[in-house]
Amino acid sequence: MFNVLGNFLTLSSFGESHGEAYGGVITNFPAGLELNLDEVQKDLDRRKPGQSAIVTQRKESDTVRFLSGIFDGKSTGTPIGFIVENENQRSKDYDHISGAYRPSHADYTYDQKYGIRDHRGGGKSSARETLNWVVAGSLAKQLIPNVEINAYVSSVGDIFCEKPYQALDFSKTESNIVRCPDAETAEKMIERIKEVKKEGNTIGGTITCVIKNVPAGWGEPIFNKLHAELGKAMLNINACKGFEYGSGFCGAKMTGKEHNDLFNADGTTKSNLSGGIQGGISNGMDIYFRVAFKPIATLLRPQESINKDGEIVIVEGKGRHDPCVLPRAVPIVESLAAFVLADMYMINKIRRI
Amino acid sequence: MFNVLGNFLTLSSFGESHGEAYGGVITNFPAGLELNLDEVQKDLDRRKPGQSAIVTQRKESDTVRFLSGIFDGKSTGTPIGFIVENENQRSKDYDHISGAYRPSHADYTYDQKYGIRDHRGGGKSSARETLNWVVAGSLAKQLIPNVEINAYVSSVGDIFCEKPYQALDFSKTESNIVRCPDAETAEKMIERIKEVKKEGNTIGGTITCVIKNVPAGWGEPIFNKLHAELGKAMLNINACKGFEYGSGFCGAKMTGKEHNDLFNADGTTKSNLSGGIQGGISNGMDIYFRVAFKPIATLLRPQESINKDGEIVIVEGKGRHDPCVLPRAVPIVESLAAFVLADMYMINKIRRI
Amino acid sequence: MFNVLGNFLTLSSFGESHGEAYGGVITNFPAGLELNLDEVQKDLDRRKPGQSAIVTQRKESDTVRFLSGIFDGKSTGTPIGFIVENENQRSKDYDHISGAYRPSHADYTYDQKYGIRDHRGGGKSSARETLNWVVAGSLAKQLIPNVEINAYVSSVGDIFCEKPYQALDFSKTESNIVRCPDAETAEKMIERIKEVKKEGNTIGGTITCVIKNVPAGWGEPIFNKLHAELGKAMLNINACKGFEYGSGFCGAKMTGKEHNDLFNADGTTKSNLSGGIQGGISNGMDIYFRVAFKPIATLLRPQESINKDGEIVIVEGKGRHDPCVLPRAVPIVESLAAFVLADMYMINKIRRI
Amino acid sequence: MFNVLGNFLTLSSFGESHGEAYGGVITNFPAGLELNLDEVQKDLDRRKPGQSAIVTQRKESDTVRFLSGIFDGKSTGTPIGFIVENENQRSKDYDHISGAYRPSHADYTYDQKYGIRDHRGGGKSSARETLNWVVAGSLAKQLIPNVEINAYVSSVGDIFCEKPYQALDFSKTESNIVRCPDAETAEKMIERIKEVKKEGNTIGGTITCVIKNVPAGWGEPIFNKLHAELGKAMLNINACKGFEYGSGFCGAKMTGKEHNDLFNADGTTKSNLSGGIQGGISNGMDIYFRVAFKPIATLLRPQESINKDGEIVIVEGKGRHDPCVLPRAVPIVESLAAFVLADMYMINKIRRI
């Protein structure tokens, strides 16, 4: 099965940027869980456009409506259907590109693959799909209430949050519009984003995600290692270019003597270069990973491109676009991580007699 | 479905380091393909232990035996079963760790997950599983004969192959034992591995993989983006800590103006920071990615650790181990990439009426 | 993957009898097909309540709204989302059974399985779910336009349509309210249903389905034989108790000499006891099967039952119920058959190089 | 995922009649179960050829060899690989049909589907595949030790075991070679089979399966109803033409008043026309179903047929064939039922928080 998120707990989703609605079906959510649907809407609000000066000014209420699978406030064990109606599309902002391929977008590849393409707002390739993931991930989070998942913007362009995650206070992440818990760095990042925005340009960056309180044992041993599932989920986020966990690419420069995490008597480890996962299975230590995002491809400035007939055309983003994907991607990263973890948690419950 | 490689073309595999045999079932391989089974054995030989001074000296013939799915030299369209018998296990090399957990291995997590653990050679967590992937991937490669897949060791510790892949001659990769096509760098890498080996130490590194001639259109749009499938496959390789494609983590430092790949009139792009994939779908340009491997955890020197009862014990690798996973991982990376691509190729064939 | 219809072409569906809406996501529908959505609504109308004197008088418009996956009248290759809003629930008709288990319903088993149960209209166990299948199957039918699928009521209680399907004119099926193409038998069936209805009773029956123009080659050889997929789909219809194809249970009484279908020179067969399927794969002859439905469990007359506390209670259906499931099940059988066939058609397209 | 048995607990299998070996991989078998492998061999022996005068005289030891997933006599939670080597093929018995299509076999359909066909013993279409299912099902049975599964031959041609299952002593099933627990009927059945055998003919029949001690709650509510999963598994058995459970096709003749199973105070039911399943979920009562098998298509007498070029040829079974599939199908039915039940048992364990 593919074009589905998850292995046991699954999300089948749908929706295009300028279609009627987004939505999905969450299958195999267990019965009997008291659900807080306001929390889901809150997570959606953290993702929604128009929330600050450094994100797109598009106005969408992005209100989720649950259609099934919940009775008397509790999950029934049967499929949870939901939709989020589209409201504020301005399809004519895209008329000028109906025949053109925007550079580094999916316009060309969709057309090559399907022979048909919904050009309005990128159609299915739009990152608006991620709102489905936030709904599903936010519910999934409620399945594993002890697990703490905190993502934050750890770099914008060449501005890095130099402090290790242990030195950060995650309660501060939401206190600024860029979602970096270090106030000083956050200010620099915001400045940098405003600069590129002024030029009609965009900028990339990284998000770091830290997950606490996952007990030992989650993750499958061969083709669904916990970090591989997290990595796959993150790489599916629009604009994602890379994923590393624990020591990551730095670990590739080290020797075994430096890298091995020695045990304490209680099974915890003295260091945690493993990033909380050994052999694809959680070991009870903090799980942490980093995700790289490229700069958004839509520029509010002219670029040379081609149209369907191979003729040179000039494209220029019109309307309302994000100069930097990072702030709005924070809840997406958290939600996907929650979904993956809840899925692995459920599977793990039946791995022993 | 999980614990399976692939979505349409699938591999279900089995085997433990010191069990009877490895093997697997490849399902939905299309009918009518003339198969060259010697090529599969050749790929296995590139992965096998004992092939040079810088890998483990364990002797295994690693001979694959095909049991079904092939008739008159051609695939029949029905499941291809295969086994590789284990031959040269020295289980008693592991007796000393039957109750102990080796640092940064999967011993502790398997025990936590399953409540039972085959300590001999790491049991199921052994990287010996990857021989199954080489068999399956090598067959998959024959399904997409025009696609060229070349992986090579691009760094060992802090020794990097500085040349871009375009400047390398991949026909040289097999000409040295470390599998770096740049002779000068290869020599330094080999030197470095011999150094750490002498100390009973190990070292990490990276592998770069370059894929040419994938036509536009492969990859699924939402949860099975082509790079996410490649990333997931690579992250499942033992010791893998990170994956990036195209501009990767460097791309996260750039602005959109720098990063966008402008089109030529024929649909190719002037630059290729996208790494041949846009919106999760191949665009016809070279696909390239980089995989980070940590240093192998088994050291031939004493390390403090714990046993099942939480008592401090000293563990020390005995027997025959790799000081560096990289050279033997090259065919594994290539095989997994081939499998993922063949899977996406097959699915893509039915995405249009 | 489970709780999903189909293998490659899939439907994930949701909805409860008295919830907000039904709906689903159809994934991997190929791109580029001109879709006739009015035909889908027409199929839904054949299933809907209130259409005649012998079905439930509940009034639901059952209007489907497509939310994604269609652009300019054509499928885009991306997920097709749809919903059908619930309109005419009278939840208070079910207040009296909120604590009681209706005999031969799923009330008891849902409560045992989930520990929570939506008693209103049977919740998820309601046959109203089948409207999702009609939407999906009706679209699937458009993928395989040459295939002709005709189902009809072949028995009600002990009134059987004695003519073989070859002697029937399927264009007459819709000409009477019971959907039996033989007018004389239809009249008797209608009479019988009216009788049981008058008593507050219900009655069972069978549906026969005949499929023409399936080319040879559809169906998978081992675990997804074409008749097994059809059988599974039919057995999932509410109230279904049995499935047979070709010679069916009668074939079990025969000898090989009588049963074997001898070939004509063109590959067709002189007889067709195989029912168009050999070794699980279509052979180009007519496919035909028969499905048994029990009488509906809800009686409009008092029955003794128990409640959650094991106390004896009297339950009696209130409101608007079908005395016989058969007439409305005809489009359901056809739609499910279409979905299964379209799924097998797509998979078969990639079984050869 | 398809061409796989099971949803969570899965079997991927391989093998052809005259290939090297059969075998498979059982994935997601839980860890920590003490396994009795002799029991598995015993079940295989009940299926194997040559065991009596009324089955094929082919001699195969059909010895299963487990290759992984078991350590110290216990399941490890990782994939269980196994093979059964083929030994006694006489491929030249099939030379005469290499270009011909046997009537009512899968020869024609495989050739149409794959464009390539292994004619030796039917290749992949051979019922020899079912030995894989017996291995997997026999292990699965050990996962649900309280469940009692008893299948028996309930009819051969027009000879029926008239007693209801409640009147039979299942401990007698193995006491005669046809596997009908009623001695008198068994004798008649054996006689009938010997008759048809003498004529080079074959005969069909039915198997009834009775399952006791399944607790309430197993089975999935929508597309994987317990009886649909059982039905699908049975319909995949070679030569199967129909499946009914509980009241089955007889239930289709009844009214609701007759058919409804009224409750006792303890949740059991006074009658059991439901066959232990309501709304697709077990209710704790006996599960029983009936499976129809056609007569085997291979006759030891001449039949007219065609070859690949559409020319008329005479085919006549040579060598060693079963005159009746029923006796050897009894352990196959039981094993598949066990596998389906174990799969549903595991899934059900995680349907509630």
Side-chain angles (χ1 to χ4, degrees):
Chain A
M1 182 75 192
F2 47 96
N3 285 320
V4 159
L5 177 66
N7 296 285
F8 186 90
L9 177 70
T10 54
L11 168 69
S12 285
S13 64
F14 67 84
E16 295 102 31
S17 184
H18 291 219
E20 298 254 326
Y22 277 89
V25 188
I26 302 164
T27 307
N28 296 327
F29 199 93
L33 188 69
E34 193 96 38
L35 292 173
N36 185 334
L37 302 180
D38 294 339
E39 282 300 314
V40 178
Q41 188 60 51
K42 253 186 237 170
D43 278 331
L44 265 184
D45 291 346
R46 292 171 67 212
R47 197 214 75 98
K48 87 174 168 188
Q51 61 185 285
S52 82
I54 59 170
V55 303
T56 171
Q57 295 309 299
R58 214 166 45 240
K59 290 292 175 200
E60 293 270 3
S61 76
D62 284 357
T63 307
V64 62
R65 181 180 161 213
F66 288 98
L67 303 174
S68 70
I70 302 170
F71 182 64
D72 270 354
K74 283 187 182 162
S75 59
T76 62
T78 62
I80 298 173
F82 65 88
I83 58 168
V84 176
E85 303 265 357
N86 285 329
E87 294 167 353
N88 190 238
Q89 307 105 320
R90 291 197 203 150
S91 298
K92 64 178 189 298
D93 280 357
Y94 294 88
D95 284 354
H96 67 296
I97 59 143
S98 73
Y101 300 128
R102 292 167 298 167
S104 287
H105 266 284
D107 300 343
Y108 176 78
T109 54
Y110 268 64
D111 220 355
Q112 292 290 313
K113 183 178 188 75
Y114 296 114
I116 185 175
R117 161 186 160 227
D118 178 354
H119 66 280
R120 305 162 308 162
K124 184 72 219 165
S125 72
S126 166
R128 199 159 157 68
E129 158 73 20
T130 57
L131 63 77
N132 288 329
W133 312 352
V134 171
V135 173
S138 188
L139 282 178
K141 217 188 295 177
Q142 300 189 28
L143 260 178
I144 45 172
N146 293 327
V147 174
E148 284 174 34
I149 304 175
N150 285 290
Y152 62 95
V153 175
S154 47
S155 74
V156 168
D158 51 10
I159 301 166
F160 281 77
C161 178
E162 305 285 358
K163 294 183 187 156
Y165 79 79
Q166 293 87 344
L168 298 172
D169 175 359
F170 295 139
S171 73
K172 299 281 186 272
T173 304
E174 293 297 311
S175 66
N176 60 65
I177 57 177
V178 80
R179 295 201 167 99
C180 172
D182 186 56
E184 205 177 333
T185 312
E187 212 158 312
K188 286 185 212 162
M189 289 172 167
I190 294 166
E191 207 49 52
R192 187 80 185 89
I193 295 172
K194 288 184 174 167
E195 266 170 48
V196 297
K197 188 186 172 189
K198 214 173 295 168
E199 303 162 14
N201 204 348
T202 61
I203 194 159
T206 60
I207 287 177
T208 295
C209 183
V210 182
I211 305 167
K212 289 172 181 292
N213 299 335
V214 172
W218 296 11
E220 293 297 301
I222 319 171
F223 297 117
N224 302 78
K225 294 191 169 81
L226 182 51
H227 59 271
E229 290 291 305
L230 288 167
K232 182 189 176 187
M234 299 306 145
L235 287 161
N236 275 317
I237 304 175
N238 309 52
C240 179
K241 300 299 289 183
F243 171 87
E244 59 177 5
Y245 81 105
S247 62
F249 277 88
C250 284
K253 297 184 198 161
M254 296 167 79
T255 68
K257 226 174 105 185
E258 299 160 327
H259 194 278
N260 279 359
D261 293 320
L262 301 186
F263 281 104
N264 296 310
D266 62 357
T268 60
T269 57
K270 295 177 204 291
S271 54
N272 183 20
L273 293 167
S274 297
I277 301 171
Q278 285 169 336
I281 299 168
S282 61
N283 69 352
M285 302 295 291
D286 289 354
I287 294 170
Y288 59 97
F289 60 80
R290 212 160 64 97
V291 189
F293 292 92
K294 70 169 188 174
I296 285 172
T298 301
L299 310 185
L300 297 177
R301 45 187 300 152
Q303 294 179 94
E304 202 182 279
S305 195
I306 58 168
N307 66 15
K308 280 192 164 220
D309 304 317
E311 297 161 341
I312 303 295
V313 295
I314 299 298
V315 296
E316 178 174 354
K318 289 186 184 173
R320 304 151 300 176
H321 297 278
D322 286 281
C324 179
V325 78
L326 278 293
R328 293 178 58 205
V330 166
I332 300 168
V333 166
E334 289 175 357
S335 299
L336 281 176
F339 198 91
V340 166
L341 287 164
D343 185 28
M344 291 290 125
Y345 151 76
M346 288 187 71
I347 291 172
N348 189 50
K349 280 176 80 172
I350 41 177
R351 295 314 303 266
R352 284 202 210 188
I353 54 159
Chain B
M1 182 76 191
F2 47 95
N3 285 320
V4 159
L5 177 66
N7 296 285
F8 186 91
L9 178 70
T10 54
L11 168 69
S12 285
S13 65
F14 66 85
E16 296 101 31
S17 184
H18 291 219
E20 299 254 326
Y22 278 87
V25 189
I26 302 164
T27 307
N28 296 327
F29 199 94
L33 188 69
E34 193 97 37
L35 292 174
N36 185 335
L37 302 181
D38 294 339
E39 281 301 314
V40 178
Q41 189 60 52
K42 251 185 238 173
D43 278 332
L44 264 184
D45 291 346
R46 292 171 67 212
R47 195 214 76 97
K48 87 175 168 188
Q51 61 185 284
S52 81
I54 59 170
V55 303
T56 171
Q57 295 307 302
R58 213 166 45 241
K59 292 290 176 200
E60 293 270 4
S61 75
D62 284 358
T63 308
V64 62
R65 181 180 162 213
F66 288 97
L67 303 174
S68 71
I70 302 171
F71 181 64
D72 270 353
K74 283 186 182 163
S75 59
T76 62
T78 62
I80 298 173
F82 66 88
I83 58 168
V84 177
E85 303 266 355
N86 284 330
E87 294 168 353
N88 190 238
Q89 307 104 320
R90 292 197 203 150
S91 298
K92 64 177 189 297
D93 280 356
Y94 293 88
D95 283 355
H96 68 296
I97 60 144
S98 72
Y101 300 129
R102 293 167 298 167
S104 287
H105 265 284
D107 301 343
Y108 175 78
T109 55
Y110 268 64
D111 221 355
Q112 292 289 315
K113 183 178 189 74
Y114 295 114
I116 184 174
R117 161 189 160 225
D118 178 355
H119 65 280
R120 306 162 307 162
K124 184 73 220 163
S125 73
S126 165
R128 199 159 157 65
E129 158 73 19
T130 57
L131 62 78
N132 289 329
W133 311 353
V134 171
V135 173
S138 189
L139 282 178
K141 216 189 294 178
Q142 300 188 28
L143 259 178
I144 45 172
N146 293 327
V147 174
E148 285 173 32
I149 304 175
N150 285 289
Y152 62 95
V153 174
S154 48
S155 73
V156 169
D158 51 9
I159 301 165
F160 281 76
C161 178
E162 306 284 357
K163 294 181 187 158
Y165 80 80
Q166 293 88 344
L168 297 173
D169 175 359
F170 295 139
S171 73
K172 299 279 185 275
T173 304
E174 292 298 310
S175 66
N176 60 66
I177 57 177
V178 79
R179 295 201 167 99
C180 172
D182 185 55
E184 206 176 334
T185 313
E187 212 158 313
K188 287 186 211 162
M189 289 171 167
I190 294 166
E191 208 48 52
R192 187 78 186 91
I193 294 171
K194 287 185 173 165
E195 268 171 46
V196 297
K197 189 186 171 188
K198 213 172 297 171
E199 302 163 14
N201 204 349
T202 61
I203 194 159
T206 60
I207 286 178
T208 295
C209 184
V210 181
I211 305 168
K212 289 172 181 292
N213 298 335
V214 172
W218 296 10
E220 292 297 300
I222 319 171
F223 297 118
N224 303 79
K225 293 189 171 83
L226 181 52
H227 59 270
E229 290 291 305
L230 288 166
K232 182 189 176 188
M234 299 305 145
L235 287 161
N236 275 316
I237 304 175
N238 309 52
C240 179
K241 300 299 288 184
F243 170 88
E244 59 177 4
Y245 81 105
S247 62
F249 277 88
C250 283
K253 297 183 197 161
M254 296 167 78
T255 69
K257 227 176 105 185
E258 298 160 327
H259 194 278
N260 278 0
D261 294 318
L262 301 187
F263 281 104
N264 296 311
D266 62 357
T268 60
T269 56
K270 294 175 204 293
S271 55
N272 183 19
L273 293 168
S274 297
I277 301 170
Q278 286 169 336
I281 299 169
S282 61
N283 69 351
M285 302 295 291
D286 290 353
I287 294 170
Y288 58 97
F289 61 80
R290 212 160 63 100
V291 189
F293 292 93
K294 70 168 186 173
I296 284 172
T298 301
L299 310 185
L300 297 178
R301 45 187 299 152
Q303 296 179 94
E304 202 181 281
S305 195
I306 59 168
N307 66 15
K308 280 191 164 221
D309 304 317
E311 297 161 341
I312 302 293
V313 294
I314 299 297
V315 296
E316 178 173 354
K318 288 188 185 172
R320 304 152 300 176
H321 297 279
D322 286 282
C324 179
V325 78
L326 278 292
R328 292 178 60 205
V330 166
I332 299 168
V333 166
E334 288 176 357
S335 299
L336 282 176
F339 198 91
V340 166
L341 288 164
D343 186 28
M344 290 291 126
Y345 151 76
M346 287 187 72
I347 291 172
N348 189 50
K349 279 175 80 171
I350 41 177
R351 295 314 305 263
R352 283 202 208 187
I353 55 159
Chain C
M1 183 77 191
F2 47 95
N3 286 320
V4 160
L5 177 66
N7 296 284
F8 186 90
L9 178 70
T10 55
L11 168 69
S12 285
S13 65
F14 66 85
E16 295 102 30
S17 185
H18 291 219
E20 299 253 327
Y22 278 88
V25 188
I26 302 164
T27 306
N28 295 327
F29 199 94
L33 188 70
E34 193 97 37
L35 292 173
N36 184 334
L37 302 180
D38 293 339
E39 282 301 314
V40 178
Q41 188 60 51
K42 252 185 239 172
D43 278 331
L44 265 184
D45 291 347
R46 293 171 66 213
R47 196 213 75 97
K48 86 174 169 189
Q51 61 184 285
S52 82
I54 58 170
V55 303
T56 171
Q57 296 308 301
R58 213 165 47 241
K59 291 291 176 200
E60 292 270 4
S61 75
D62 285 357
T63 308
V64 61
R65 180 181 161 213
F66 288 98
L67 304 174
S68 69
I70 302 170
F71 181 65
D72 270 354
K74 283 187 181 163
S75 59
T76 62
T78 63
I80 298 172
F82 66 88
I83 58 169
V84 176
E85 303 266 354
N86 285 330
E87 293 168 355
N88 191 238
Q89 307 103 320
R90 292 197 203 149
S91 298
K92 65 177 187 299
D93 279 356
Y94 293 88
D95 283 355
H96 67 297
I97 59 142
S98 72
Y101 300 129
R102 294 167 297 167
S104 287
H105 265 284
D107 300 344
Y108 177 77
T109 54
Y110 268 64
D111 221 355
Q112 292 290 314
K113 183 177 188 75
Y114 296 115
I116 184 174
R117 161 188 160 225
D118 178 355
H119 66 280
R120 304 162 309 161
K124 183 73 220 164
S125 72
S126 166
R128 200 160 156 66
E129 159 72 20
T130 58
L131 63 78
N132 289 328
W133 312 351
V134 171
V135 173
S138 189
L139 282 178
K141 216 188 296 176
Q142 301 189 28
L143 258 179
I144 45 172
N146 293 326
V147 174
E148 284 174 34
I149 304 175
N150 284 290
Y152 62 95
V153 174
S154 47
S155 75
V156 169
D158 51 10
I159 301 165
F160 281 77
C161 178
E162 305 285 356
K163 293 183 187 156
Y165 78 79
Q166 293 89 343
L168 298 173
D169 175 359
F170 296 140
S171 73
K172 300 278 186 273
T173 305
E174 293 297 311
S175 67
N176 60 65
I177 57 177
V178 79
R179 295 202 166 99
C180 171
D182 186 55
E184 208 177 330
T185 313
E187 213 158 311
K188 288 186 211 159
M189 289 170 168
I190 293 166
E191 209 47 53
R192 187 81 185 93
I193 294 171
K194 286 183 174 167
E195 267 170 47
V196 298
K197 189 185 170 188
K198 215 173 293 169
E199 303 163 13
N201 205 347
T202 60
I203 194 158
T206 59
I207 286 177
T208 295
C209 184
V210 182
I211 305 167
K212 290 172 180 292
N213 298 335
V214 172
W218 297 10
E220 293 297 300
I222 319 172
F223 297 118
N224 303 78
K225 294 191 170 82
L226 182 51
H227 58 271
E229 290 291 306
L230 287 167
K232 182 189 177 189
M234 299 306 145
L235 288 161
N236 275 317
I237 303 175
N238 309 53
C240 179
K241 299 299 288 184
F243 171 87
E244 60 177 3
Y245 81 105
S247 61
F249 277 89
C250 284
K253 297 185 198 161
M254 297 167 79
T255 68
K257 227 175 105 186
E258 300 160 326
H259 195 278
N260 279 0
D261 294 319
L262 301 187
F263 281 105
N264 296 310
D266 62 356
T268 60
T269 57
K270 294 176 205 292
S271 55
N272 183 20
L273 294 167
S274 296
I277 301 171
Q278 286 168 336
I281 299 168
S282 61
N283 70 351
M285 302 295 291
D286 289 353
I287 294 170
Y288 59 97
F289 60 81
R290 212 161 64 99
V291 189
F293 292 92
K294 68 168 189 175
I296 285 172
T298 301
L299 309 185
L300 296 177
R301 44 187 301 152
Q303 296 178 94
E304 203 181 280
S305 196
I306 58 167
N307 66 14
K308 280 193 164 219
D309 305 317
E311 297 160 341
I312 304 293
V313 295
I314 300 296
V315 296
E316 177 173 353
K318 290 188 184 172
R320 305 152 300 175
H321 297 277
D322 287 281
C324 178
V325 78
L326 277 291
R328 292 176 60 205
V330 166
I332 299 168
V333 166
E334 289 176 357
S335 299
L336 281 176
F339 199 91
V340 166
L341 288 164
D343 186 27
M344 290 291 125
Y345 151 76
M346 287 187 72
I347 291 172
N348 189 49
K349 279 176 80 172
I350 42 176
R351 295 313 304 263
R352 284 200 208 189
I353 55 161
Chain D
M1 183 77 192
F2 47 95
N3 286 318
V4 159
L5 177 66
N7 296 285
F8 186 89
L9 178 70
T10 54
L11 168 69
S12 285
S13 65
F14 66 85
E16 295 102 30
S17 185
H18 290 219
E20 300 252 327
Y22 277 88
V25 189
I26 302 164
T27 306
N28 296 327
F29 199 93
L33 188 70
E34 193 97 36
L35 293 173
N36 185 335
L37 302 181
D38 294 340
E39 282 301 314
V40 178
Q41 188 60 50
K42 251 185 239 172
D43 278 331
L44 264 184
D45 291 347
R46 292 172 67 213
R47 195 214 75 99
K48 87 174 168 189
Q51 61 185 286
S52 84
I54 58 169
V55 303
T56 171
Q57 296 307 303
R58 213 165 47 238
K59 292 290 176 201
E60 292 270 5
S61 75
D62 285 358
T63 308
V64 61
R65 179 179 163 215
F66 288 97
L67 303 174
S68 69
I70 302 170
F71 181 64
D72 271 353
K74 283 187 182 163
S75 60
T76 61
T78 62
I80 297 173
F82 66 88
I83 58 169
V84 177
E85 303 266 355
N86 285 330
E87 293 168 354
N88 191 235
Q89 308 104 322
R90 294 198 201 148
S91 298
K92 65 178 187 300
D93 279 357
Y94 294 88
D95 284 355
H96 67 297
I97 58 142
S98 71
Y101 300 129
R102 293 168 298 168
S104 287
H105 266 284
D107 300 344
Y108 176 78
T109 54
Y110 268 64
D111 221 356
Q112 291 290 314
K113 184 177 187 76
Y114 296 115
I116 185 175
R117 161 188 161 225
D118 177 356
H119 66 279
R120 304 162 309 162
K124 184 73 219 163
S125 72
S126 166
R128 200 160 156 65
E129 158 73 19
T130 58
L131 64 77
N132 289 329
W133 311 351
V134 171
V135 173
S138 189
L139 282 178
K141 218 188 295 176
Q142 301 189 28
L143 259 178
I144 45 173
N146 293 327
V147 174
E148 283 173 34
I149 303 175
N150 285 289
Y152 63 94
V153 174
S154 48
S155 75
V156 169
D158 51 9
I159 301 166
F160 281 77
C161 178
E162 305 285 358
K163 294 184 187 155
Y165 79 80
Q166 293 87 343
L168 297 173
D169 175 358
F170 296 140
S171 73
K172 299 280 186 271
T173 304
E174 293 297 310
S175 67
N176 60 65
I177 58 177
V178 79
R179 294 202 168 97
C180 172
D182 185 55
E184 205 177 333
T185 313
E187 213 158 313
K188 287 185 212 160
M189 288 172 168
I190 293 166
E191 210 46 54
R192 186 81 185 91
I193 295 172
K194 286 185 175 166
E195 266 170 48
V196 297
K197 189 185 170 189
K198 214 172 295 170
E199 302 162 15
N201 204 348
T202 60
I203 193 158
T206 59
I207 286 177
T208 295
C209 184
V210 181
I211 304 167
K212 289 172 182 290
N213 298 336
V214 171
W218 297 10
E220 293 297 300
I222 320 173
F223 297 117
N224 303 77
K225 294 191 169 82
L226 182 51
H227 59 271
E229 290 291 305
L230 288 167
K232 181 189 177 187
M234 299 306 145
L235 288 162
N236 275 317
I237 303 176
N238 308 52
C240 179
K241 300 299 288 184
F243 171 88
E244 59 177 4
Y245 81 105
S247 62
F249 277 88
C250 284
K253 298 184 199 161
M254 298 168 78
T255 68
K257 228 175 105 185
E258 300 160 325
H259 194 278
N260 278 0
D261 295 318
L262 300 186
F263 282 104
N264 296 310
D266 61 358
T268 60
T269 57
K270 295 176 205 290
S271 55
N272 183 20
L273 293 168
S274 296
I277 301 171
Q278 286 169 336
I281 299 169
S282 61
N283 69 352
M285 302 296 290
D286 289 353
I287 294 169
Y288 60 97
F289 59 82
R290 212 161 64 98
V291 189
F293 292 92
K294 68 167 189 177
I296 284 172
T298 301
L299 309 185
L300 297 177
R301 45 186 300 153
Q303 295 180 94
E304 202 181 282
S305 196
I306 58 167
N307 67 14
K308 279 192 165 222
D309 304 317
E311 298 161 341
I312 304 294
V313 294
I314 300 296
V315 296
E316 177 173 354
K318 290 187 185 174
R320 304 152 301 178
H321 298 278
D322 286 281
C324 178
V325 78
L326 277 292
R328 293 177 60 205
V330 166
I332 300 168
V333 166
E334 289 176 357
S335 299
L336 281 177
F339 199 91
V340 166
L341 287 164
D343 185 28
M344 289 292 125
Y345 151 75
M346 288 187 72
I347 291 172
N348 189 49
K349 280 175 79 172
I350 42 177
R351 295 313 303 263
R352 283 202 208 188
I353 54 159

